[in-house]
Amino acid sequence: MAEISTKSKQITLRKLGTNPSRDYQVWAFSARLAFEAEGLDGIIDGKSTKPAEAPANASADAKKAADEAISKWKREHGRVMDALIQSLEQDEIIKLWTVRTSARDIWLRLEQEYGVPLDIEYIRASRTLATLQRDPKDTIDQHINKFERQLREVNFNRPPSLVEVETDADKERQKSLNNLAFVGTLVG
């Protein structure tokens, strides 16, 4: 007969590494994917918060349901906290003392400290894209590949506040702007 374990499955994240400023974006991307796969991304996004306790005058069933919801959230929150802490070097863990009780606060603290340098990479990549010109020695396919590679680098380093494209019209407008930028690289 099989045993049923009530212990939650551990989430394993890649290590943030010894150079968090350089490694943060890849780490955050892979961590977010891992949390999404487990249905726990709401904890780091702040969408999943600890459920309220049942009021004192609630029925026994309502109190039991509230207690179960709180217990479930605590287990899930604990899994996220454990994954975050296990992915950090000791020096990074020490910096998190003031936010040690909240997975969301840890996530935001890391984003605040290490997400900022990405703006520099975004600016550099955008500038390189803006000044890209077709080398006469390159075939059109080689130039297209250079343009697309640089565009991917711009999009990869785009700050989170600039990433969200909400509507199909926004997507089409961005596609048109990309096409116009490409044409601009051909004339020079």
Side-chain angles (χ1 to χ4, degrees):
M1 189 163 119
E3 274 187 55
I4 299 175
S5 172
T6 58
K7 186 175 180 181
S8 299
K9 184 175 92 174
Q10 183 178 16
I11 302 167
T12 304
L13 304 178
R14 70 181 327 151
K15 284 282 192 183
L16 180 52
T18 55
N19 188 351
S21 296
R22 183 195 69 215
D23 301 335
Y24 173 78
Q25 187 168 4
V26 172
W27 174 86
F29 178 73
S30 65
R32 181 172 293 284
L33 287 178
F35 293 137
E36 284 175 2
E38 295 292 323
L40 300 173
D41 51 312
I43 291 174
I44 59 170
D45 290 341
K47 294 175 185 167
S48 173
T49 57
K50 183 178 177 183
E53 294 187 22
N57 61 351
S59 69
D61 288 343
K63 287 181 181 180
K64 182 179 178 186
D67 288 346
E68 288 173 358
I70 291 169
S71 293
K72 179 181 181 223
W73 183 86
K74 283 181 178 179
R75 280 191 308 277
E76 291 173 346
H77 185 263
R79 289 178 67 204
V80 173
M81 288 279 290
D82 180 60
L84 289 171
I85 296 300
Q86 295 299 323
S87 72
L88 301 174
E89 298 292 332
Q90 185 174 354
D91 293 344
E92 296 306 312
I93 295 170
I94 292 168
K95 295 179 189 177
L96 300 173
W97 180 255
T98 59
V99 294
R100 68 187 179 278
T101 59
S102 167
R104 168 127 174 95
D105 290 346
I106 289 172
W107 183 264
L108 291 174
R109 170 70 172 77
L110 293 169
E111 182 178 60
Q112 179 183 30
E113 184 167 351
Y114 300 118
V116 175
L118 297 178
D119 290 347
I120 295 167
E121 286 301 312
Y122 173 68
I123 291 166
R124 184 198 57 72
S126 294
R127 184 167 183 238
T128 301
L129 180 62
T131 59
L132 181 67
Q133 293 294 312
R134 181 174 176 213
D135 185 333
K137 298 175 202 160
D138 287 346
T139 66
I140 192 69
D141 286 340
Q142 290 170 323
H143 181 67
I144 290 170
N145 289 337
K146 283 181 182 178
F147 177 83
E148 288 177 345
R149 186 173 35 252
Q150 193 59 42
L151 185 60
R152 279 192 305 273
E153 188 171 344
V154 168
N155 289 330
F156 180 77
N157 289 298
R158 189 177 308 277
S161 62
L162 301 177
V163 169
E164 296 190 30
V165 176
E166 297 176 6
T167 66
D168 288 339
D170 289 335
K171 291 177 185 177
E172 285 301 314
R173 188 172 22 262
Q174 186 60 49
K175 189 176 177 180
S176 295
L177 289 172
N178 291 344
N179 289 338
L180 186 58
F182 176 73
V183 170
T185 66
L186 296 175
V187 291

